[in-house]
């Protein structure tokens, strides 16, 4: 097996000529991926960098047959002095392990996760966009890679990290998005897996997302599966509302992903003197909110321009970015990009 030390090459020209304003969030293959394996009941082996490429996997792999898989998402930023910054990577490690427990997979020591992230980023450092132009999205996967036929945990697990340079998640950059409330399909049910980042939570939202996009919406907002009236989350991000300067977001109760950006925005808002409530949010409240915005690693903080619920469409802030979303976006991204002092201790600098 090929074992490589992180590439020292920092040929930023690899990214020259890219139209960053329209770069978007898509897969652009880079140089290396990082892989570690573990037998069921055993210890994790030695991780290694390999050239980015296809994984060889049994057609009987538990991830392919039974969806035994988790993923994570975090970002690396390049600063003006060419440092590389990671944002709260240990939070991703801990969330992955919570998911591993739910999905009957082995947990990965936090240090091993952090080492793997650092190796993957440093080996692909030439793909980190220039300062202010985007980020390197880091995608860790934990999958049941060994073959099984009867329903059981895989005999072997693989942890792999690949990366891709990315720009803004939604078309139009930070422009406010238009959400459609889905009141027939649900994303998660109590006792299910909505609170962990398992791969199976994501394919089911494609049908509603594609339908909504076909009608001109940016994405779909899900309601709770029991009463069909409390807001849960958008397909790929958490949601917040602001009313009379009080910020509210649906509480974590097992059906909502505990977003790292969600947690950071709550902490940042508190530190800036806002009252922040984690509580059940009735969809009707959203329709009379002053501001609504989404948070996520991929989307960062994205304002919501309109919400359509059944036959009602409500617009916010006349299509402008709301004041609170703007303030929190700037506060968060200036820490992530190294423009502001990291008073929260969130940043891990790689070099
Ligand atoms: C992220 O924000 O990192 C996510 O995992 C969302 C994904 C569906 C792009």
């Amino acid at each position: 097996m090929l074992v490589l030390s992180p590439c020292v090459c920092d040929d930023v020209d690899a990214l020259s000529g890219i139209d960053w304003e329209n770069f978007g969030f898509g897969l652009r293959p880079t140089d290396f991926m990082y892989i570690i394996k573990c037998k069921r009941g055993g210890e994790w082996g030695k991780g290694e960098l390999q050239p980015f490429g296809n994984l060889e996997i049994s057609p009987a792999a538990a991830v392919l047959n039974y969806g035994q898989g988790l993923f994570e998402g975090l970002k690396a930023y390049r600063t003006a002095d060419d440092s590389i910054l990671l944002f709260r990577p240990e939070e991703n490690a801990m969330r992955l392990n919570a998911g591993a427990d739910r999905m009957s997979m082995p947990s990965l020591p936090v240090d091993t996760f952090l080492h793997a992230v650092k190796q993957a980023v440093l080996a692909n450092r030439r793909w980190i966009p220039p300062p202010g132009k985007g980020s390197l999205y880091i995608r860790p996967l934990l999958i049941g890679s060994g073959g099984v036929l009867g329903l059981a945990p895989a005999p072997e697990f693989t942890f792999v990290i690949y990366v891709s340079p990315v720009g803004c998640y939604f078309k139009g950059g930070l422009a406010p998005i238009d959400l459609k409330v889905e009141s027939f399909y649900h994303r998660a049910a109590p006792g299910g897996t909505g609170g962990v980042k398992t791969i199976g939570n994501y394919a089911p939202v494609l049908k509603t997302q594609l339908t909504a996009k076909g009608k001109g919406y940016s994405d779909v907002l899900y309601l709770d599966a029991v009463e069909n009236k409390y807001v849960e989350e958008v397909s790929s991000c958490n949601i917040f509302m602001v009313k009379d300067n009080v910020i509210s977001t649906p509480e974590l109760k097992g059906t909502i992903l505990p977003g790292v950006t969600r947690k950071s925005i709550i902490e940042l808002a508190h530190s800036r003197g806002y009252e922040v409530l984690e509580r059940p949010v009735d969809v009707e409240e959203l329709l009379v909110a002053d501001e609504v915005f989404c948070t996520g690693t991929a989307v960062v903080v994205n304002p919501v321009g309109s919400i359509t619920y059944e036959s009602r469409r409500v617009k916010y802030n006349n299509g402008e970015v709301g004041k609170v979303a703007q303030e929190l976006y700037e506060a968060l991204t200036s820490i992530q990009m190294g423009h502001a002092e990291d008073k929260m201790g969130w940043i891990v600098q790689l070099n």
Side-chain angles (χ1 to χ4, degrees):
M1 200 66 84
L2 185 61
V3 182
L4 299 157
S5 350
C7 175
V8 286
C9 160
D10 201 6
D11 171 18
V12 186
D13 286 350
L15 299 171
S16 68
I18 288 177
D19 172 7
W20 290 103
E21 306 322 312
N22 299 301
F23 191 51
F25 189 93
L27 178 66
R28 284 147 196 111
T30 60
D31 300 322
F32 296 104
M33 56 189 184
Y34 190 90
I35 298 199
I36 321 182
K37 290 185 188 266
C38 173
K39 297 275 181 228
R40 185 171 59 216
E43 297 291 318
W44 286 97
K46 189 166 153 23
E48 63 184 16
L49 288 165
Q50 293 182 15
F52 177 84
N54 294 342
L55 296 175
E56 191 172 299
I57 197 165
S58 163
V63 65
L64 298 180
N65 292 261
Y66 301 127
Q68 195 179 27
L70 292 163
F71 73 95
E72 275 299 326
L74 62 160
K75 284 176 173 171
Y77 293 87
R78 187 190 294 276
T79 64
D81 65 0
D82 223 17
S83 296
I84 302 169
L85 307 182
L86 297 174
F87 185 70
R88 309 189 81 175
E90 68 294 339
E91 290 289 331
N92 296 90
M94 292 187 292
R95 186 172 65 183
L96 183 83
N97 284 339
D101 179 58
R102 179 67 181 85
M103 300 301 288
S104 304
M105 293 197 278
S107 63
L108 191 74
V110 172
D111 283 351
T112 308
F113 180 96
L114 297 181
H115 177 75
V117 168
K118 288 175 187 174
Q119 294 292 304
V121 171
L122 289 172
N124 292 293
R125 62 176 295 155
R126 71 187 183 120
W127 296 101
I128 307 175
K133 298 295 187 192
S135 58
L136 189 74
Y137 186 79
I138 304 158
R139 173 53 63 84
L141 289 174
L142 172 58
I143 57 173
S145 47
V148 281
L149 193 54
L151 184 56
E156 182 201 66
F157 299 90
T158 300
F159 177 72
V160 54
I161 300 183
Y162 66 91
V163 302
S164 178
V166 296
C168 287
Y169 188 78
F170 289 112
K171 244 197 228 162
L174 270 189
I177 55 170
D178 298 306
L179 294 180
K180 167 90 175 74
V181 178
E182 170 60 47
S183 34
F184 180 76
Y185 291 106
H186 295 100
R187 179 188 167 274
T193 58
V196 297
K197 212 160 171 61
T198 184
I199 55 175
N201 290 344
Y202 292 83
V205 303
L206 296 176
K207 182 181 171 74
T208 40
Q209 193 190 52
L210 288 172
T211 307
K213 284 190 173 177
K215 292 182 179 158
Y217 299 103
S218 322
D219 213 327
V220 174
L221 173 60
Y222 287 90
L223 298 179
D224 76 285
V226 176
E227 298 193 53
N228 206 31
K229 68 174 191 168
Y230 294 107
V231 173
E232 297 235 310
E233 66 179 84
V234 180
S235 318
S236 55
C237 46
N238 295 115
I239 191 143
F240 286 74
M241 61 164 267
V242 185
K243 182 74 180 172
D244 299 330
N245 241 24
V246 176
I247 302 175
S248 299
T249 191
E251 88 244 85
L252 300 178
K253 52 180 174 49
T255 55
I256 293 171
L257 190 80
V260 177
T261 311
R262 174 189 180 279
K263 180 175 178 178
S264 307
I265 285 296
I266 292 172
E267 292 171 16
L268 263 184
H270 271 142
S271 76
R272 300 174 84 85
Y274 284 100
E275 184 179 355
V276 186
L277 304 174
E278 295 180 72
R279 62 174 180 85
V281 176
D282 192 308
V283 62
E284 293 291 340
E285 289 183 69
L286 275 197
L287 303 184
V288 293
D290 300 330
E291 243 184 82
V292 178
F293 59 89
C294 298
T295 65
T297 298
V299 311
V300 191
V301 174
N302 208 105
V304 174
S306 77
I307 291 191
T308 303
Y309 175 49
E310 296 172 341
S311 56
R312 285 178 287 164
R313 180 181 176 96
V314 173
K315 291 191 177 174
Y316 305 96
N317 305 102
N318 297 317
E320 302 293 317
V321 179
K323 175 176 86 44
V324 178
Q326 182 75 44
E327 177 187 339
L328 295 175
Y329 169 82
E330 279 167 17
L332 178 73
T333 55
S334 57
I335 296 174
Q336 290 176 326
M337 294 178 191
H339 298 160
E341 191 192 341
D342 173 28
K343 292 188 187 144
M344 307 293 227
W346 286 343
I347 296 296
V348 173
Q349 184 170 335
L350 286 200
N351 51 342

